[in-house]
Amino acid sequence: MASKDFYGVLGVPRNASADEIKKAYRKLAMQYHPDRNPGDKAAEAQFKLINEAYEVLGDPQKRQLYDSGGGSGFFEGFDGGFARGGTNFGDVFSEVINEFFGGGSSGGRQQGEHILRQVELSFEEAALGKEISIKLARWETCSPCSGNGSKNGKSVTVCSSCRGTGFVRIQQGFFHVQKTCGTCGGEGRVITEICPNCSGKGRISVDRTITRSIPAGVQTGMRVRIAGEGHAGIGGGPPGDLYLDVVVRPHSVFTREGDDLVVDRNLTLTQAIFGTTLEIPTLGAPYPMKVDPGTQPGTVRRVRGKGIANPQSRSLGDLVVRFNVEIPTRLSREQREVLERYAEVSGEAPAGQAGGDGGLFSKVKSIFE
Ligand SMILES: [Zn+2]
Ligand SMILES: [Zn+2]
């Protein structure tokens, strides 16, 4: 199953100490706690995710297991970018989290948080592509205040402590040091009347349904990136992204090896001996395949370009048919007689008798006759 990036969720590096993880968890859990965000579904979802992450990373044994499991999918960029492994979700996410919660020294523009979701697809849906709708609660920019948190977006005055610069100069020993203004948090302005719609947060939780096409050929462990569909940014910052972790359900007939579509087919004894024509199921119309007389168990046939699309290169894999020959385990009397006669004319030992070497058996037999 695709693993979520728990390190990213908690905003800690993969080599973070247990203490750092605990600290990050506490900070985030407090921030997103339902008591502090009543009725805010986006905060609730984030709170759940944070707890899920801490349940694993906060437990040394579970963390070790998680670490060995990887979490190394790759991203499909609907905005055109496509990265394999290299684009580290964790880093992006932790950057945002750190910027968001780590003291707010920059003030103003901040990118919105990313949203992580799991999507489950059938084998065919994953192979052929599928338009999916995802319901999610996310923060969007509050429209009455345009995101600045003040009533009507206008009840803002220039901060008198820093005269709008966002910085104050203080004396420290011999030096003058520039520090972020404590009155306005570095924003340079102070809200005189808070926006009643968002309680001054600038964002409100909105239920959305996002409809997108998942590209053909995705498989379990891949991560699809939908740019700009995460939480809204703060102070005019860009929105976060929506990431979809793909999980593909197994199929009763098909398996997948790379981009090849693999079908296992059993041949009866006579089909293998005399040859036949079979309809092989594919992702489209069944493929009529001529089976040669004398086909051996384990024979593999390959049909070019009838497999699965590669989501990166768009090239098609092959249809691979693996033949097995079914040896009957129960025989009617008539079948048995026919096969015994077959063994006899082939110079083999009759059924039930020892003697693998048919030639020798017939020689011995001829002596006694
Ligand atoms: Zn100020
Ligand atoms: Zn507002």
Side-chain angles (χ1 to χ4, degrees), residues 244-323:
L244 304 176
D245 279 340
V246 174
V247 176
V248 182
R249 288 192 294 270
H251 196 274
S252 58
V253 175
F254 302 123
T255 48
R256 180 172 176 168
E257 278 175 12
D259 297 323
D260 294 337
L261 182 67
V262 181
V263 179
D264 284 293
R265 271 309 287 264
N266 275 346
L267 299 174
T268 65
L269 208 52
T270 46
Q271 280 175 331
I273 293 167
F274 300 123
T276 182
T277 301
L278 292 174
E279 297 260 282
I280 304 296
T282 74
L283 291 169
Y287 182 86
M289 180 174 276
K290 216 175 146 281
V291 179
D292 296 329
T295 293
Q296 303 296 316
T299 298
V300 175
R301 292 274 302 271
R302 192 173 272 274
V303 186
R304 294 247 169 262
K306 291 271 175 201
I308 299 166
N310 186 295
Q312 280 172 295
S313 66
R314 304 273 148 209
S315 63
L316 284 166
D318 301 336
L319 169 67
V320 173
V321 187
R322 298 188 298 213
F323 288 112

Side-chain angles (χ1 to χ4, degrees), residues 101 115 141 149 181 197 270 286 327 362:
F101 303 107
I115 298 175
T141 303
C181 171
N197 194 48
T270 46
I327 305 297
S362 30

Side-chain angles (χ1 to χ4, degrees), residues 69-82:
S72 56
F74 62 81
F75 312 142
E76 162 82 359
F78 283 94
D79 51 357
F82 197 99

Side-chain angles (χ1 to χ4, degrees), residues 129-146:
K130 161 93 176 156
E131 191 176 275
I132 56 155
S133 292
I134 309 134
K135 275 191 185 160
L136 46 90
R138 68 176 180 196
W139 288 305
E140 295 191 357
T141 303
C142 171
S143 54
C145 67
S146 308

Side-chain angles (χ1 to χ4, degrees), residues 113-228:
E113 302 86 338
H114 298 308
I115 298 175
L116 218 71
R117 277 299 154 91
Q118 203 172 68
V119 285
E120 206 181 291
L121 301 171
S122 72
F123 189 92
E124 287 97 334
E125 286 167 350
L128 299 172
K130 161 93 176 156
E131 191 176 275
I132 56 155
S133 292
I134 309 134
K135 275 191 185 160
L136 46 90
R138 68 176 180 196
W139 288 305
E140 295 191 357
T141 303
C142 171
S143 54
C145 67
S146 308
N148 80 3
S150 69
K151 192 172 180 184
N152 303 319
K154 290 190 185 98
S155 309
V156 177
T157 54
V158 172
C159 174
S160 57
S161 302
C162 63
R163 290 187 300 275
T165 59
F167 295 101
V168 286
R169 285 160 68 83
I170 53 160
Q171 183 137 20
Q172 222 167 50
F174 295 108
F175 302 103
H176 279 281
V177 185
Q178 211 173 50
K179 279 192 82 177
T180 305
C181 171
T183 311
C184 63
E187 296 207 24
R189 30 184 213 126
V190 180
I191 292 167
T192 48
E193 219 177 330
I194 274 172
C195 169
N197 194 48
C198 63
S199 315
K201 287 178 180 167
R203 300 190 298 179
I204 49 162
S205 178
V206 178
D207 290 321
R208 284 275 174 224
T209 303
I210 311 290
T211 303
R212 282 301 152 91
S213 293
I214 299 288
V218 295
Q219 50 183 315
T220 297
M222 285 188 182
R223 182 173 278 166
V224 176
R225 171 171 172 246
I226 303 177

Side-chain angles (χ1 to χ4, degrees), residues 2-17:
S3 57
K4 293 177 182 170
D5 184 6
F6 288 146
Y7 289 101
V9 169
L10 294 182
V12 294
R14 292 189 82 86
N15 59 1
S17 69

